[in-house]
Amino acid sequence: NFSVNVKTGHLQDFGSPGYKGDLYQAVMDVQGLSFPEALEWIARRVNYQFDEEPSPSETTLTVATLAEDKGLTESFLQELGVETVRPGVLRIPYWDADGEASVRNRLRTDATAGKGSMWEQGDAPIVPYGLWRLDQMRSDCSYLFLGEGESDAWTAWEHDIPMVGIPGKSMYETLRAERVCGFERLFI
């Protein structure tokens, strides 16, 4: 049984024990999106255009400030292609297993992804972060760690730990089983 309260916008699925929420939560859960991404997803479906760009956080994000926040070096992030696309907005490039650039890259406006991150629009599926390193990781060791997001992967790589970053806690389906074949152990 499924119920929607049109006055409050809340919904409840009695068939999924304890699931309650509103439209935004439902879109985040079903589509595997963050809140800002869910807003964009809904806006596209109703042909709504936002009047202005998302505003940068109080402290303008730069590659240097992101590196400092994550305990990494700026040059390390630059080697991974992290770049400023406009003041306060960074692009974190994603590549597939063959090293081909993805159409969908992460944009960050805050050092904390949950406070300011979104995906570049496109038709391509979102993929885990670090796929282009899998062959090398597979040849170097028999195990692989699965972390959440780019910064977990960066920290692991900085310490020579093989890791792929799942781009959000609800996006586990982005990692296909054949990608991790050849590893004897997976640590989640």
Side-chain angles (χ1 to χ4, degrees), residues 90-167:
L90 302 181
R91 175 183 290 120
I92 301 169
Y94 274 57
W95 293 278
D96 66 20
D98 297 324
E100 295 293 321
S102 175
V103 175
R104 307 286 302 275
N105 296 294
R106 180 84 79 171
L107 298 176
R108 291 278 285 267
T109 59
D110 193 282
T112 304
K115 293 181 181 177
S117 82
M118 64 203 79
W119 290 99
E120 288 180 317
Q121 293 186 6
D123 293 333
I126 294 171
V127 297
Y129 187 74
L131 291 182
W132 74 97
R133 292 176 151 231
L134 275 175
D135 286 341
Q136 184 63 49
M137 288 187 259
R138 197 177 284 111
S139 70
D140 289 347
C141 48
S142 61
Y143 58 90
L144 177 68
F145 285 85
L146 302 178
E148 182 188 344
E150 305 92 5
S151 61
D152 282 2
W154 296 334
T155 302
W157 299 342
E158 186 79 355
H159 299 283
D160 296 320
I161 297 170
M163 179 180 281
V164 169
I166 305 301

Side-chain angles (χ1 to χ4, degrees), residues 9-153:
H10 285 85
L11 33 112
Q12 183 170 1
D13 182 0
F14 296 97
S16 300
Y19 184 80
K20 295 180 182 179
D22 58 14
L23 173 64
Y24 305 105
Q25 187 63 51
V27 170
M28 288 188 300
D29 292 343
V30 171
Q31 298 295 324
L33 304 173
S34 68
F35 182 73
E37 293 167 338
L39 288 176
E40 290 180 6
W41 188 92
I42 293 166
R44 283 194 306 272
R45 271 134 192 92
V46 297
N47 294 320
Y48 180 81
Q49 291 289 331
F50 293 103
D51 293 333
E52 55 188 76
E53 294 288 327
S55 60
S57 61
E58 294 173 12
T59 305
T60 300
L61 187 65
T62 65
V63 177
T65 59
L66 179 62
E68 181 180 350
D69 184 78
K70 302 302 178 186
L72 303 166
T73 64
E74 181 178 2
S75 61
F76 178 69
L77 294 184
Q78 289 171 331
E79 288 169 15
L80 293 169
V82 179
E83 63 180 349
T84 301
V85 291
R86 61 180 178 271
V89 181
L90 302 181
R91 175 183 290 120
I92 301 169
Y94 274 57
W95 293 278
D96 66 20
D98 297 324
E100 295 293 321
S102 175
V103 175
R104 307 286 302 275
N105 296 294
R106 180 84 79 171
L107 298 176
R108 291 278 285 267
T109 59
D110 193 282
T112 304
K115 293 181 181 177
S117 82
M118 64 203 79
W119 290 99
E120 288 180 317
Q121 293 186 6
D123 293 333
I126 294 171
V127 297
Y129 187 74
L131 291 182
W132 74 97
R133 292 176 151 231
L134 275 175
D135 286 341
Q136 184 63 49
M137 288 187 259
R138 197 177 284 111
S139 70
D140 289 347
C141 48
S142 61
Y143 58 90
L144 177 68
F145 285 85
L146 302 178
E148 182 188 344
E150 305 92 5
S151 61
D152 282 2

